[in-house]
Structures are given as structure tokens and as C-alpha cells.
């Protein structure tokens, strides 16, 4: 039996297809450019495909840089940033949602104000702080400044406000303390939103280029975006095929993460408590 679409559903489907095409077009262009000979990447008029398909750009990128080391660095830093960010943000958000203390509103407003501050504004003082602490060219210089995430605190704060307090009160009656309630009751109930913010944090950290670029000059501590950027900076100008090849290589792990955890992302966004805000 053929399913019939109502006019409204058909319009939404067409809009979704147009948006999907707009989103996929740059990715398709990057892949197509990475498979062109370097001399044809700037050829006018622009064409989707070159005279031949070649993997020379990928061979040069993979052969010039230490891709494996950079990938390991990116993985380690992204995992640590994600773990620390989610743990500390969840603790802070739960404290604001369930405890009342003097200056609570002012402190919460100060944290939320951090959402409106562009990260680029903090680069100079953060870099001076890393220099003073002697952490430049270390993983900690890349990790620590990224752990402070006001937006994650706000998302978890809104979610914890919707958790029924009766569940916690029953645990308190049974003799459980605040820490035990948090780790054994609140966090398990928060798995969907924790999964979503963890994935978003991991992707953001993996893609972060500017801050790791500022604090890592040693190739052994560079993340994948920084290392690939150094590889494609040629003496005789930009090499667009290699740039696109590096973009594709850096984006493949994120594509795998999204494909594997897309259900958790959708479920987490639906349970963040932000619907209708």
C-alpha cells in the first residue's frame, strides 16, 4: 500500500531535502576537490571533477605529517575534556538545582553570563596563565581551559530541575547522603542528556583549532586539526587539494561518532528540558 503525503507533510519533506542538500554540498565539494590533481583545483570555470581522480593529496598529507600521533593526541584530549566537563558541569548544575545558599542567584547569573562571552576574548589572558604555570606544549594547556562550559551547566541545570525530588527524598529517608543520591540516582536518570552533552563536547573539542594552535608548538603535542594545518601550509601558496584531504581525514572520526550515537543525540536533545524555552 502506497503511503500518501498530505500537503503539509510534502512541504516539510521538500524543505528538509533542500536543507540536506545545502548541508551536504560543501562536504561533497571537499571530497571532490581532494580527489583532483592539485593544478586543477583553481581552474576556471570551476568544475566538480577534474580530468582524473587521484589520491595524491591524501598520500602527501599522510606521508608528510605524523597523523597517528596527532589522532591519538586529539582522542586523549577530547576524551579527557569530555569527562571532566560533563562531571564538573553536572556537579555544579545539581548544586544550583537542589541546594540553596547565599549568593546562589548571583553566582548562577555569573556562570550564565559566560555564555555571552566569545571564547576568543579569553585567549590572551588564558595563554598568559598557561605560560605562567609552565603548561605550554602540554596536554593540560589544551584540556583545562576547555573544561569550563557555562552552556553545559545551564542545560544540565534545567534538566535537574525537572527530576522529581521525591526520588531523592526517598533515598534520604533510607539514609543516603547527598553524594550517594547524586551518583546512584540522579546521574543514572540523566543518561540521555549526559550522552547528548558528552557527544557535543567531544565533537567541539575534536574540532577546536584556535586554542590548541596557540598553546602547542611541539609536533608531539599537536592535535589533529593543528597538525594537518601545518602540513598543508606550503611555501608556494595554499594547496587546496591537500587542504580538502586534511578536512576529510579530520572529519571522518566525527562522522563515525555521529552515525553510532545519533539516537542518543536526538534523545538527549529531547530530554534537556529546553523544549519551549
Amino acid at each position: 500500500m502506497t503511503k500518501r503525503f498530505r500537503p503539509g507533510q510534502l512541504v516539510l519533506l521538500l524543505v528538509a531535502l533542500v536543507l540536506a542538500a545545502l548541508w551536504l554540498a560543501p562536504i561533497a565539494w571537499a571530497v571532490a576537490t581532494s580527489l583532483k590533481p592539485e593544478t586543477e583545483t583553481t581552474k576556471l570555470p570551476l568544475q566538480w571533477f577534474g580530468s582524473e581522480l587521484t589520491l595524491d593529496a591524501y598520500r602527501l598529507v599522510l606521508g608528510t605529517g605524523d597523523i597517528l600521533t596527532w589522532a591519538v593526541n586529539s582522542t586523549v584530549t577530547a576524551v579527557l575534556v569530555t569527562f571532566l566537563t560533563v562531571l564538573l558541569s553536572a556537579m555544579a548544575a545539581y548544586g544550583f538545582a537542589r541546594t540553596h545558599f547565599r549568593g546562589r542567584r548571583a553566582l548562577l547569573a555569573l556562570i550564565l553570563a559566560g555564555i555571552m562571552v566569545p571564547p576568543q576574548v579569553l585567549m590572551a589572558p588564558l595563554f598568559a596563565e598557561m605560560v605562567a604555570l609552565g603548561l605550554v606544549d602540554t596536554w593540560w594547556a589544551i584540556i583545562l581551559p576547555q573544561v569550563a562550559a557555562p552552556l553545559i551547566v545551564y542545560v544540565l541545570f534545567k534538566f535537574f530541575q525537572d527530576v522529581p525530588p521525591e526520588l531523592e527524598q526517598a533515598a534520604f529517608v533510607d539514609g543516603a547522603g547527598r553524594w550517594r543520591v547524586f551518583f546512584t540516582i540522579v546521574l543514572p536518570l540523566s543518561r540521555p542528556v549526559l550522552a547528548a552533552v558528552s557527544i557535543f563536547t567531544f565533537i567541539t573539542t575534536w574540532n577546536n583549532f584556535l586554542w590548541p594552535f596557540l598553546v602547542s608548538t611541539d609536533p608531539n603535542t599537536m592535535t589533529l586539526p593543528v597538525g594537518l594545518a601545518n602540513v598543508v601550509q606550503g611555501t608556494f601558496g595554499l594547496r587546496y587539494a591537500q587542504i580538502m584531504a586534511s578536512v576529510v581525514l579530520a572529519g571522518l572520526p566525527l562522522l563515525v561518532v555521529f552515525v553510532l550515537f545519533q539516537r542518543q543525540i536526538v534523545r538527549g536533545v529531547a530530554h534537556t528540558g529546553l523544549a519551549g524555552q
Side-chain angles (χ1 to χ4, degrees):
M1 183 177 179
T2 304
K3 182 178 179 180
R4 295 183 178 181
F5 291 95
R6 287 180 289 183
Q9 293 177 325
L10 185 59
V11 171
L12 290 177
L13 179 60
L14 292 176
V15 171
L17 290 175
V18 171
L19 293 176
L22 292 175
W23 183 79
L24 291 173
I27 300 176
W29 179 259
V31 174
T33 303
S34 68
L35 297 175
K36 292 180 182 179
E38 188 64 51
T39 56
E40 298 183 17
T41 57
T42 56
K43 182 179 179 181
L44 294 176
L46 295 176
Q47 297 179 352
W48 275 90
F49 301 102
S51 58
E52 60 175 333
L53 297 180
T54 176
L55 297 175
D56 289 344
Y58 291 93
R59 295 192 188 97
L60 290 171
V61 171
L62 293 174
T64 304
D66 192 354
I67 303 296
L68 181 59
T69 298
W70 299 335
V72 171
N73 292 343
S74 287
T75 302
V76 172
T77 55
V79 169
L80 288 176
V81 168
T82 301
F83 174 76
L84 293 175
T85 299
V86 174
L87 176 62
L88 297 177
S89 297
M91 293 169 63
Y94 181 71
F96 283 119
R98 284 294 187 265
T99 61
H100 299 276
F101 52 89
R102 182 175 298 179
R104 171 179 172 270
R105 291 186 177 180
L107 185 57
L108 180 60
L110 181 62
I111 292 177
L112 297 182
I115 300 176
M116 297 179 286
V117 178
Q120 293 79 7
V121 175
L122 305 175
M123 293 293 177
L126 283 175
F127 182 77
E129 184 178 357
M130 294 300 107
V131 172
L133 295 174
L135 296 179
V136 176
D137 281 335
T138 66
W139 284 351
W140 292 115
I142 301 174
I143 293 170
L144 293 179
Q146 299 187 73
V147 170
L151 180 60
I152 303 300
V153 174
Y154 176 70
V155 170
L156 296 178
F157 168 73
K158 296 298 291 184
F159 179 85
F160 290 151
Q161 282 186 320
D162 294 333
V163 174
E166 292 79 11
L167 299 175
E168 302 170 54
Q169 293 171 2
F172 290 142
V173 171
D174 291 337
R178 179 69 68 179
W179 287 103
R180 184 177 178 184
V181 169
F182 175 69
F183 284 106
T184 61
I185 295 178
V186 176
L187 288 187
L189 291 174
S190 310
R191 287 176 182 173
V193 66
L194 292 177
V197 297
S198 297
I199 295 170
F200 288 138
T201 303
F202 183 89
I203 292 174
T204 302
T205 306
W206 184 281
N207 283 332
N208 194 356
F209 169 77
L210 183 56
W211 177 249
F213 177 75
L214 291 176
V215 295
S216 59
T217 57
D218 184 358
N220 293 322
T221 61
M222 289 180 178
T223 57
L224 191 59
V226 177
L228 291 175
N230 289 331
V231 168
V232 301
Q233 288 179 357
T235 306
F236 302 101
L238 297 175
R239 293 169 287 185
Y240 292 102
Q242 294 185 42
I243 291 175
M244 294 304 177
S246 66
V247 169
V248 173
L249 291 173
L252 282 177
L254 299 182
L255 180 61
V256 173
V257 170
F258 179 79
V259 171
L260 292 178
F261 298 102
Q262 57 180 322
R263 290 185 179 180
Q264 285 80 359
I265 295 176
V266 175
R267 188 183 307 168
V269 171
H271 289 80
T272 53
L274 295 177
Q277 296 293 325

